[in-house]
């Protein structure tokens, strides 16, 4: 399933800046960045639960926010992209 992860992390302190980097690195390990604080992650239910658990462990719920949009398995019909920074197919072949 495709999950869109968005976040807003308060960066007024050094700990907030550290949290922001940790959230970004965690999201990168599950998907691709499509906007500054927006990631597309193609995951199964177990991976989604693990991602959510890791992010909840990082953020400060008094200062930061997370949003998860579950677009399901038929997400290719639900996502339209216009403009620069074309994304790659997360489920396609990877050629190195």
């Amino acid at each position: 399933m495709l999950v869109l992860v968005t976040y807003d992390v308060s960066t007024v302190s050094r700990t907030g800046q550290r949290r922001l980097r940790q959230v970004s690195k965690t999201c990168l390990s599950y998907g691709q960045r499509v906007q500054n604080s927006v990631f597309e992650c193609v995951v199964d239910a177990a991976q989604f639960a693990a991602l959510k658990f890791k992010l909840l462990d990082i953020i400060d719920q008094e200062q930061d926010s997370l949003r998860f949009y579950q677009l399901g398995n038929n997400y290719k019909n639900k996502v339209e992209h216009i403009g620069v920074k074309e994304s790659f197919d997360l489920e396609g072949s990877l050629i190195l």
Side-chain angles (χ1 to χ4, degrees):
M1 80 175 122
L2 177 68
V3 175
L4 198 65
V5 180
T6 68
Y7 55 86
D8 188 19
V9 177
S10 175
T11 58
V12 295
S13 68
R14 276 206 151 94
T15 57
Q17 293 168 4
R18 191 177 109 256
R19 286 194 316 273
L20 178 65
R21 286 189 303 275
Q22 289 177 321
V23 168
S24 176
K25 285 182 182 181
T26 301
C27 289
L28 272 173
S29 66
Y30 286 87
Q32 70 175 330
R33 182 187 304 266
V34 293
Q35 297 281 324
N36 286 336
S37 297
V38 181
F39 283 81
E40 289 179 348
C41 305
V42 176
V43 293
D44 60 28
Q47 291 170 322
F48 176 55
L51 170 61
K52 196 172 176 181
F53 179 78
K54 288 177 185 178
L55 291 175
L56 289 172
D57 192 44
I58 296 169
I59 69 161
D60 178 343
Q61 293 187 36
E62 299 293 319
Q63 299 181 50
D64 310 329
S65 67
L66 287 170
R67 286 183 181 252
F68 300 96
Y69 299 90
Q70 298 178 54
L71 299 178
N73 291 322
N74 296 321
Y75 65 88
K76 291 183 182 182
N77 298 329
K78 299 176 185 175
V79 177
E80 180 179 356
H81 176 264
I82 300 170
V84 297
K85 198 173 179 182
E86 188 69 36
S87 60
F88 60 90
D89 183 4
L90 292 170
E91 295 182 305
S93 299
L94 178 63
I95 300 172
L96 298 175

